[in-house]
Amino acid sequence: MRVTIADVAREAGVSKTTVSRVVNLKGEVGGSTAARVREVIAQLGYVPSSGAVGLARGSSRTVGMLVPSLTWPWMGELLQGVVDTVEAADYGLLLFTCNRGAESVERFTSQVSARAFDGLVVVEPENTLDRLTALHRSGLPIVLIDDRGRHPEFTSVVTTNHEGGASAARHLRDSGRTRPVVVTGPAHFGCVSDRLAGFRSVLPTDLVVAGDFTERAGRLAVERLLLEGTEFDSVFAHNDITAAGVLRALRAAGRRVPEDIAVVGFDDIPMAEHTEPPLTTVHQPTRQMGEAAARLLLARLGGGPPPEQPLVLPTELVVRRSAP
Amino acid sequence: MRVTIADVAREAGVSKTTVSRVVNLKGEVGGSTAARVREVIAQLGYVPSSGAVGLARGSSRTVGMLVPSLTWPWMGELLQGVVDTVEAADYGLLLFTCNRGAESVERFTSQVSARAFDGLVVVEPENTLDRLTALHRSGLPIVLIDDRGRHPEFTSVVTTNHEGGASAARHLRDSGRTRPVVVTGPAHFGCVSDRLAGFRSVLPTDLVVAGDFTERAGRLAVERLLLEGTEFDSVFAHNDITAAGVLRALRAAGRRVPEDIAVVGFDDIPMAEHTEPPLTTVHQPTRQMGEAAARLLLARLGGGPPPEQPLVLPTELVVRRSAP
DNA sequence: CTGAAAGCGCTTACAG
DNA sequence: CTGAAAGCGCTTACAG
């Protein structure tokens, strides 16, 4: 049923070795022989079985990608960056998620050795670091995306969270805001403390509300502040979703944005253009991060040395009407 | 380096056959023997090589997924549905995109036979139908998502585009709107003509503007209508992105939503909650469609018969403030 | 320039 | 209940 290398060899009147050589452009093959083999290959529509090739060569020409969730707003861009790069190198991409807690971590790690992939790109799901470290030590090349720079053992691609926070603060300061509120993401995320520290390094403030990257967190934070009568003239939300909640709560309370209160988000997800008013936000180079991570991994698989330093891709402040 | 079945066999003092049997729970194995083998497996951390298993069994326990783009707003949900279902069945998911025209189609189809995946879930990229048909005829199980019901050759999962359009029209009609505008998606999409036909079956109108599913299309459509002095009291946009453009143009022109003009979208992407005003829209059960497609494919791979009819998942009108 | 043979790590009749 | 052997479809020394 399926056309194998043996079929081609028989049809062309040569050995499997020779067929393999012309397919892989390896070793010398007589011109006319090669031509004949190529003809037969085209005629039969032969394509080498990747499974068999992988088994024989000991590598699968496939990389894995592990992410916590596929529905996060910037995940599509990231994934597209990885896939494009991986496909261009003629590799396959095996996708795993870890959104069901311990059970799925368990399943994933047990599949690592089973699934033949040569390396892994990871957006770190919570509580997987130990397992990943073990896999890495046992020889699996891994590249981390959006690492906090705290796992020097791994190659990683990061963005300038600290500087991103600082740029938001500079923008608010330069437009005359003096009493900013920060609505953070989950405290144990490295990016959260970096964004906060960057912001405060420019515009010190004690008005920090702990959030969790949800729209609700942004809404509740603002509602509580208004209820308490806290005075503030601007909000820096640690992601755009939270900023959307902030905008909604301000509107509901009759505060004008940006006249009364300026709002800055983080991420620059597609939605940021469509809020009312459109959101000023710190753009993360998500797709480029995906591309870079894939490139680093492929280079590693190609035999290159692991880079010493995390690869840093810059954020960029995008000014829209919520904080002109 | 890697632990193989031979290592386990040697260590446990049995044959590879026996190890294989306890791993796969196949055939009778003596209790104490099995226990010993299991112990060695745990101790050595043995996991069968999926490549070798696939080669020997002739199947890869992997499914492929082909999509036009990963950055479409509802793609994350869809993908999550597929991945969850596939992972729960202990299959792997190989991801392919086709966003670079002919070249990538070429590459994809050539990889199909190479990559060992047993079946394919497809969100049909443009101009791939011929290739997919050929692959399907040559034996590759394929499930289409959001097919237009026009490719009876394939198993497919669809949503009620016609009824979705009709539900939007009923809602507008029941709230007293009589002069609706429809801003469509690309004319050659089956879902577009279905949504349009459904809408018109309830609320006939000639005010149809051809769009292309972009925000810009929605903006331009409204700007032109207003410029021409066309009278209308509502807009049905064929997707939420377009509806966002409509809202923006109306706001810029000083028209109130929904007082002057009601707006209804299609899709119910995350952004729909965050527009101003929040968007009334026809919800597509995206994640469920992904789950269903994966389930159908897995059933097929498990030896089940292909279903006769497309699987239809219902849309649902979500009422928000843009059309209360 | 070309081929026979061993080997990659499994599964699966077949035989006992 | 257990194992020796062939086979899955390739690649790669090795020999000529």
Side-chain angles (χ1 to χ4, degrees), chain A residues 4-9 14-27 37 41 46-61, chain B residues 55 114:
Chain A
T4 73
I5 196 173
D7 301 325
V8 176
V14 297
S15 70
K16 295 189 294 175
T17 309
T18 298
V19 176
S20 174
R21 278 199 270 255
V22 351
V23 167
N24 299 300
L25 306 170
K26 256 184 193 165
V37 170
I41 286 177
Y46 167 66
V47 180
S49 147
S50 62
V53 173
L55 185 57
R57 278 215 266 252
S59 84
S60 59
R61 237 186 148 66
Chain B
L55 185 57

Coordinates of all heavy atoms in Angstrom, one line a residue, chain A residues 4-9 14-27 37 41 46-61, chain B residues 55 114, chain C residues 3-8, chain D residues 8-14:
Chain A
T4 N 7.5 2.2 -0.3 CA 8.7 2.2 0.5 C 10.0 2.3 -0.3 O 9.9 2.2 -1.6 CB 8.8 0.9 1.3 OG1 9.2 -0.2 0.4 CG2 7.5 0.6 2.0
I5 N 11.1 2.4 0.4 CA 12.4 2.6 -0.3 C 12.7 1.3 -1.1 O 13.3 1.3 -2.2 CB 13.5 2.9 0.7 CG1 14.7 3.4 0.0 CG2 13.8 1.6 1.6 CD1 15.8 3.9 1.0
A6 N 12.1 0.2 -0.6 CA 12.4 -1.1 -1.3 C 11.7 -1.1 -2.7 O 12.2 -1.6 -3.7 CB 11.9 -2.3 -0.5
D7 N 10.5 -0.5 -2.7 CA 9.7 -0.5 -4.0 C 10.5 0.3 -5.0 O 10.7 0.0 -6.1 CB 8.4 0.2 -3.7 CG 7.5 -0.6 -2.8 OD1 7.6 -1.8 -2.7 OD2 6.8 0.1 -2.0
V8 N 11.0 1.5 -4.5 CA 11.8 2.3 -5.4 C 13.0 1.6 -5.9 O 13.3 1.6 -7.1 CB 12.2 3.6 -4.7 CG1 13.1 4.5 -5.6 CG2 10.9 4.4 -4.3
A9 N 13.7 1.0 -5.0 CA 14.9 0.3 -5.4 C 14.7 -0.8 -6.4 O 15.3 -0.9 -7.4 CB 15.6 -0.4 -4.1
V14 N 18.1 -0.8 -8.5 CA 19.3 -0.4 -7.7 C 19.1 -0.9 -6.3 O 18.1 -1.5 -6.0 CB 19.6 1.1 -7.7 CG1 19.9 1.6 -9.1 CG2 18.4 1.8 -7.0
S15 N 20.1 -0.7 -5.4 CA 19.9 -1.1 -4.0 C 19.2 0.0 -3.2 O 19.2 1.2 -3.6 CB 21.3 -1.4 -3.4 OG 22.0 -0.1 -3.2
K16 N 18.7 -0.4 -2.0 CA 18.1 0.6 -1.2 C 19.2 1.7 -0.8 O 18.9 2.8 -0.6 CB 17.6 -0.1 0.1 CG 16.4 -1.0 -0.2 CD 15.8 -1.5 1.1 CE 16.8 -2.4 1.9 NZ 16.2 -2.8 3.2
T17 N 20.4 1.2 -0.6 CA 21.5 2.1 -0.2 C 21.5 3.3 -1.2 O 21.6 4.4 -0.9 CB 22.8 1.4 -0.2 OG1 22.7 0.2 0.6 CG2 23.9 2.3 0.3
T18 N 21.5 2.9 -2.5 CA 21.6 3.9 -3.5 C 20.4 4.9 -3.5 O 20.6 6.1 -3.6 CB 21.7 3.3 -4.9 OG1 22.9 2.5 -4.9 CG2 21.8 4.3 -6.0
V19 N 19.3 4.3 -3.3 CA 18.1 5.2 -3.2 C 18.2 6.2 -2.1 O 18.0 7.4 -2.2 CB 16.8 4.4 -3.0 CG1 15.6 5.3 -2.8 CG2 16.6 3.4 -4.2
S20 N 18.6 5.6 -0.9 CA 18.8 6.5 0.3 C 19.8 7.6 -0.1 O 19.6 8.7 0.3 CB 19.3 5.6 1.4 OG 19.7 6.4 2.5
R21 N 20.9 7.2 -0.8 CA 21.9 8.3 -1.1 C 21.3 9.4 -2.0 O 21.6 10.5 -1.8 CB 23.1 7.6 -1.8 CG 24.0 7.0 -0.8 CD 25.4 6.7 -1.3 NE 25.5 5.4 -1.9 CZ 26.1 4.4 -1.4 NH1 26.7 4.5 -0.2 NH2 26.2 3.2 -2.0
V22 N 20.5 9.0 -3.0 CA 20.0 10.1 -3.8 C 19.0 10.9 -3.1 O 18.9 12.1 -3.2 CB 19.5 9.7 -5.2 CG1 19.9 8.3 -5.5 CG2 18.1 10.0 -5.4
V23 N 18.2 10.3 -2.2 CA 17.2 11.0 -1.4 C 17.9 12.0 -0.5 O 17.5 13.2 -0.4 CB 16.3 10.1 -0.6 CG1 15.5 10.9 0.4 CG2 15.4 9.3 -1.5
N24 N 19.0 11.6 0.1 CA 19.6 12.4 1.1 C 20.8 13.2 0.6 O 21.6 13.8 1.3 CB 20.1 11.6 2.3 CG 18.9 10.9 3.0 OD1 18.0 11.6 3.5 ND2 18.9 9.6 3.0
L25 N 21.1 13.1 -0.8 CA 22.2 13.8 -1.4 C 23.5 13.5 -0.7 O 24.3 14.4 -0.4 CB 21.9 15.3 -1.4 CG 20.6 15.7 -2.0 CD1 20.3 17.2 -1.7 CD2 20.6 15.5 -3.5
K26 N 23.6 12.2 -0.3 CA 24.8 11.8 0.4 C 25.7 10.9 -0.4 O 25.2 9.9 -0.9 CB 24.4 11.2 1.7 CG 24.6 12.0 3.0 CD 24.3 11.2 4.2 CE 24.1 12.1 5.4 NZ 23.4 11.4 6.5
G27 N 26.9 11.1 -0.4 CA 27.8 10.2 -1.1 C 27.7 10.4 -2.6 O 26.8 11.1 -3.1
V37 N 16.7 7.0 -10.6 CA 16.1 6.8 -9.3 C 15.1 8.0 -9.0 O 14.0 7.8 -8.5 CB 17.2 6.8 -8.2 CG1 16.5 6.9 -6.8 CG2 18.0 5.6 -8.3
I41 N 11.1 7.8 -8.2 CA 10.6 8.4 -7.0 C 9.4 9.2 -7.3 O 8.3 9.1 -6.6 CB 11.7 9.2 -6.2 CG1 12.7 8.3 -5.6 CG2 11.0 10.1 -5.2 CD1 13.8 9.0 -4.9
Y46 N 7.1 8.5 -4.0 CA 7.7 8.0 -2.7 C 8.1 9.2 -1.8 O 8.7 10.2 -2.2 CB 9.0 7.2 -3.1 CG 9.9 6.9 -1.9 CD1 9.4 6.1 -0.9 CD2 11.1 7.5 -1.8 CE1 10.2 5.8 0.2 CE2 11.9 7.2 -0.7 CZ 11.5 6.4 0.3 OH 12.3 6.2 1.4
V47 N 7.7 9.0 -0.6 CA 8.2 9.9 0.5 C 8.7 9.1 1.6 O 7.9 8.2 2.1 CB 7.0 10.9 1.0 CG1 7.5 11.8 2.1 CG2 6.4 11.6 -0.2
P48 N 9.9 9.3 2.1 CA 10.4 8.5 3.2 C 9.5 8.6 4.4 O 9.0 9.6 4.8 CB 11.8 9.1 3.5 CG 12.1 9.9 2.2 CD 10.8 10.3 1.7
S49 N 9.4 7.5 5.1 CA 8.6 7.5 6.3 C 9.4 8.1 7.4 O 10.5 7.7 7.8 CB 8.3 6.0 6.7 OG 8.3 5.9 8.1
S50 N 8.8 9.2 8.0 CA 9.6 9.9 9.0 C 9.9 9.1 10.2 O 10.9 9.2 10.9 CB 8.9 11.2 9.4 OG 7.6 10.8 10.0
G51 N 9.0 8.2 10.5 CA 9.2 7.3 11.7 C 10.4 6.4 11.5 O 11.3 6.3 12.4
A52 N 10.5 5.8 10.3 CA 11.6 5.0 10.1 C 12.9 5.7 10.0 O 14.0 5.3 10.6 CB 11.4 4.2 8.8
V53 N 12.9 6.9 9.4 CA 14.1 7.7 9.3 C 14.5 8.1 10.7 O 15.7 8.0 11.0 CB 13.8 9.0 8.5 CG1 15.0 9.9 8.5 CG2 13.5 8.6 7.0
G54 N 13.6 8.5 11.5 CA 13.9 8.9 12.8 C 14.5 7.8 13.6 O 15.5 8.0 14.3
L55 N 13.9 6.6 13.5 CA 14.5 5.5 14.2 C 15.9 5.2 13.8 O 16.8 5.0 14.6 CB 13.6 4.3 14.0 CG 13.9 3.0 14.8 CD1 13.9 3.3 16.3 CD2 12.9 1.9 14.5
A56 N 16.1 5.2 12.5 CA 17.4 4.9 12.0 C 18.5 5.9 12.4 O 19.6 5.6 12.7 CB 17.4 4.7 10.5
R57 N 18.0 7.2 12.3 CA 19.0 8.3 12.5 C 19.1 8.6 14.0 O 20.0 9.3 14.4 CB 18.6 9.5 11.8 CG 19.0 9.5 10.3 CD 19.4 10.9 9.8 NE 18.2 11.5 9.2 CZ 18.2 11.7 7.9 NH1 19.1 11.3 7.1 NH2 17.1 12.4 7.3
G58 N 18.1 8.2 14.8 CA 18.1 8.6 16.2 C 17.7 10.0 16.5 O 17.9 10.5 17.6
S59 N 17.0 10.6 15.5 CA 16.5 11.9 15.8 C 15.2 12.1 14.9 O 15.1 11.4 13.9 CB 17.4 13.0 15.4 OG 17.3 13.3 14.0
S60 N 14.3 12.9 15.4 CA 12.9 12.8 14.8 C 12.6 14.0 13.9 O 11.6 14.0 13.2 CB 11.9 12.8 15.9 OG 12.1 14.0 16.7
R61 N 13.5 15.0 13.8 CA 13.2 16.2 13.1 C 11.9 16.8 13.5 O 11.1 17.3 12.7 CB 13.3 15.9 11.6 CG 14.3 16.8 10.9 CD 14.3 16.7 9.4 NE 14.6 18.0 8.8 CZ 15.8 18.6 8.9 NH1 16.7 18.1 9.6 NH2 16.0 19.8 8.4
Chain B
L55 N 6.6 2.5 14.1 CA 7.1 1.7 12.9 C 6.7 0.3 13.0 O 6.2 -0.3 12.0 CB 8.7 1.8 12.9 CG 9.4 1.2 11.7 CD1 8.9 1.8 10.4 CD2 10.9 1.3 11.8
A114 N 5.3 11.8 5.0 CA 6.5 11.7 5.7 C 6.2 11.6 7.2 O 6.6 10.7 7.9 CB 7.5 12.8 5.4
Chain C
dG3 P 23.6 -1.0 -6.9 OP1 22.8 -1.8 -7.9 OP2 22.9 0.2 -6.3 O5' 24.0 -2.0 -5.8 C5' 25.0 -3.0 -6.1 C4' 25.3 -3.8 -4.9 O4' 26.2 -3.1 -4.0 C3' 24.1 -4.2 -4.0 O3' 24.3 -5.5 -3.5 C2' 24.1 -3.2 -2.9 C1' 25.6 -3.0 -2.7 N9 26.0 -1.7 -2.1 C8 25.6 -0.5 -2.5 N7 26.1 0.5 -1.8 C5 27.0 -0.2 -0.9 C6 27.8 0.4 0.1 O6 28.0 1.5 0.4 N1 28.5 -0.6 0.8 C2 28.3 -2.0 0.5 N2 29.0 -2.8 1.3 N3 27.5 -2.5 -0.4 C4 26.9 -1.5 -1.1
dA4 P 23.1 -6.4 -3.1 OP1 22.8 -7.3 -4.2 OP2 22.1 -5.5 -2.5 O5' 23.8 -7.2 -1.9 C5' 25.2 -7.4 -1.9 C4' 25.7 -7.9 -0.6 O4' 26.1 -6.8 0.3 C3' 24.6 -8.6 0.2 O3' 25.3 -9.5 1.2 C2' 23.9 -7.5 0.9 C1' 25.0 -6.6 1.3 N9 24.7 -5.2 1.2 C8 23.8 -4.5 0.4 N7 23.8 -3.2 0.6 C5 24.8 -3.0 1.6 C6 25.2 -1.8 2.2 N6 24.8 -0.6 1.9 N1 26.2 -2.0 3.1 C2 26.7 -3.2 3.4 N3 26.3 -4.4 2.8 C4 25.4 -4.2 2.0
dA5 P 24.5 -10.2 2.3 OP1 25.3 -11.5 2.6 OP2 23.1 -10.4 2.0 O5' 24.7 -9.3 3.6 C5' 26.0 -8.8 4.0 C4' 25.9 -8.2 5.3 O4' 25.5 -6.8 5.1 C3' 24.9 -8.7 6.3 O3' 25.4 -8.6 7.6 C2' 23.7 -7.9 6.0 C1' 24.4 -6.5 5.9 N9 23.6 -5.5 5.2 C8 22.6 -5.6 4.3 N7 22.1 -4.5 3.8 C5 22.8 -3.5 4.5 C6 22.8 -2.1 4.4 N6 22.0 -1.4 3.7 N1 23.7 -1.5 5.2 C2 24.5 -2.2 6.0 N3 24.6 -3.5 6.1 C4 23.8 -4.1 5.3
dA6 P 24.7 -9.4 8.8 OP1 25.6 -10.5 9.0 OP2 23.3 -9.6 8.5 O5' 24.9 -8.3 10.0 C5' 26.0 -7.4 9.9 C4' 25.7 -6.2 10.7 O4' 24.9 -5.3 9.8 C3' 24.8 -6.4 11.9 O3' 25.3 -5.6 12.9 C2' 23.4 -6.0 11.4 C1' 23.8 -4.9 10.4 N9 22.8 -4.6 9.4 C8 22.0 -5.5 8.7 N7 21.2 -4.9 7.8 C5 21.4 -3.6 8.0 C6 20.9 -2.4 7.3 N6 20.0 -2.5 6.4 N1 21.4 -1.2 7.7 C2 22.4 -1.2 8.6 N3 22.9 -2.2 9.3 C4 22.4 -3.4 8.9
dG7 P 24.7 -5.7 14.4 OP1 25.9 -5.7 15.3 OP2 23.8 -6.9 14.4 O5' 23.9 -4.4 14.6 C5' 24.4 -3.1 14.2 C4' 23.4 -2.1 14.2 O4' 22.6 -2.1 13.0 C3' 22.3 -2.3 15.4 O3' 22.1 -1.1 16.1 C2' 21.1 -2.8 14.6 C1' 21.2 -2.0 13.3 N9 20.5 -2.6 12.2 C8 20.3 -4.0 11.9 N7 19.5 -4.1 10.9 C5 19.2 -2.9 10.5 C6 18.4 -2.4 9.4 O6 17.7 -3.1 8.6 N1 18.3 -1.0 9.4 C2 18.9 -0.2 10.2 N2 18.7 1.1 10.0 N3 19.7 -0.6 11.2 C4 19.8 -1.9 11.3
dC8 P 21.5 -1.2 17.5 OP1 22.6 -0.9 18.5 OP2 20.7 -2.4 17.7 O5' 20.5 0.0 17.5 C5' 20.8 1.3 16.9 C4' 19.5 2.0 16.6 O4' 19.1 1.5 15.2 C3' 18.4 1.6 17.5 O3' 18.3 2.5 18.6 C2' 17.1 1.6 16.6 C1' 17.7 1.6 15.2 N1 17.3 0.4 14.3 C2 16.6 0.6 13.1 O2 16.4 1.8 12.7 N3 16.3 -0.4 12.3 C4 16.6 -1.7 12.8 N4 16.2 -2.7 12.0 C5 17.2 -1.9 14.0 C6 17.5 -0.8 14.8
Chain D
dC8 P 8.1 -6.1 6.5 OP1 7.1 -6.5 5.5 OP2 9.6 -6.0 6.1 O5' 7.7 -4.7 7.1 C5' 6.6 -4.6 8.0 C4' 6.8 -3.3 8.7 O4' 7.6 -3.6 9.9 C3' 7.6 -2.3 8.0 O3' 6.7 -1.4 7.3 C2' 8.4 -1.5 9.1 C1' 8.4 -2.5 10.3 N1 9.7 -2.9 10.7 C2 10.1 -2.7 12.0 O2 9.3 -2.1 12.8 N3 11.3 -3.2 12.5 C4 12.1 -3.9 11.6 N4 13.2 -4.3 12.1 C5 11.7 -4.1 10.3 C6 10.5 -3.6 9.9
dG9 P 6.9 -1.1 5.7 OP1 5.7 -0.5 5.2 OP2 7.5 -2.3 5.1 O5' 8.1 0.0 5.7 C5' 7.8 1.2 6.4 C4' 9.1 2.0 6.4 O4' 10.1 1.3 7.3 C3' 9.9 2.1 5.1 O3' 10.3 3.5 5.0 C2' 11.0 1.2 5.2 C1' 11.3 1.3 6.7 N9 12.1 0.1 7.2 C8 12.0 -1.2 6.8 N7 12.8 -2.0 7.5 C5 13.4 -1.1 8.5 C6 14.3 -1.4 9.5 O6 14.8 -2.5 9.8 N1 14.7 -0.3 10.2 C2 14.2 0.9 10.0 N2 14.6 1.9 10.8 N3 13.3 1.2 9.0 C4 12.9 0.2 8.3
dC10 P 10.8 4.1 3.6 OP1 9.8 4.9 3.1 OP2 11.5 3.0 2.8 O5' 11.9 5.0 4.2 C5' 13.3 4.7 4.1 C4' 14.0 4.9 5.5 O4' 13.8 3.7 6.2 C3' 15.5 5.2 5.4 O3' 15.7 6.6 5.4 C2' 16.0 4.5 6.6 C1' 15.0 3.5 7.0 N1 15.4 2.1 6.7 C2 16.3 1.5 7.6 O2 16.8 2.2 8.5 N3 16.7 0.2 7.4 C4 16.1 -0.5 6.4 N4 16.5 -1.8 6.3 C5 15.2 0.1 5.5 C6 14.9 1.3 5.7
dT11 P 17.1 7.2 4.9 OP1 17.0 8.6 5.0 OP2 17.4 6.5 3.6 O5' 18.1 6.6 5.9 C5' 18.2 7.2 7.3 C4' 19.4 6.6 8.0 O4' 19.4 5.2 8.0 C3' 20.7 7.0 7.4 O3' 21.6 7.3 8.5 C2' 21.2 5.8 6.6 C1' 20.6 4.7 7.5 N1 20.3 3.4 6.8 C2 20.8 2.2 7.3 O2 21.5 2.2 8.3 N3 20.4 1.1 6.6 C4 19.6 1.0 5.5 O4 19.3 0.0 5.0 C5 19.1 2.3 5.0 C7 18.2 2.3 3.8 C6 19.4 3.4 5.7
dT12 P 22.9 8.2 8.3 OP1 22.8 9.3 9.4 OP2 23.0 8.6 6.9 O5' 24.0 7.2 8.7 C5' 23.8 6.2 9.6 C4' 24.9 5.1 9.5 O4' 24.4 4.0 8.7 C3' 26.2 5.6 8.8 O3' 27.3 5.0 9.4 C2' 26.0 5.1 7.4 C1' 25.3 3.7 7.7 N1 24.6 3.1 6.6 C2 24.4 1.8 6.5 O2 24.9 1.0 7.4 N3 23.7 1.3 5.5 C4 23.1 2.0 4.5 O4 22.4 1.5 3.6 C5 23.3 3.5 4.6 C7 22.6 4.3 3.5 C6 24.0 3.9 5.6
dA13 P 28.6 5.8 9.8 OP1 28.9 5.3 11.1 OP2 28.3 7.2 9.5 O5' 29.7 5.3 8.8 C5' 30.8 4.7 9.3 C4' 30.7 3.3 9.7 O4' 29.4 2.7 9.2 C3' 31.8 2.4 9.3 O3' 32.1 1.4 10.2 C2' 31.3 1.8 8.0 C1' 29.8 1.7 8.2 N9 29.0 2.0 7.0 C8 28.8 3.2 6.4 N7 28.1 3.2 5.3 C5 27.8 1.9 5.2 C6 27.1 1.1 4.2 N6 26.5 1.7 3.2 N1 27.1 -0.2 4.3 C2 27.7 -0.8 5.4 N3 28.3 -0.2 6.4 C4 28.4 1.1 6.2
dC14 P 33.6 0.8 10.1 OP1 33.9 0.1 11.4 OP2 34.5 1.9 9.7 O5' 33.5 -0.2 8.9 C5' 32.5 -1.3 9.0 C4' 32.5 -2.1 7.8 O4' 31.6 -1.4 6.8 C3' 33.9 -2.1 7.1 O3' 34.3 -3.5 6.9 C2' 33.7 -1.4 5.7 C1' 32.2 -1.6 5.5 N1 31.6 -0.5 4.7 C2 30.7 -0.9 3.6 O2 30.5 -2.1 3.5 N3 30.2 0.0 2.8 C4 30.5 1.3 3.0 N4 29.9 2.2 2.2 C5 31.3 1.7 4.1 C6 31.9 0.8 4.8

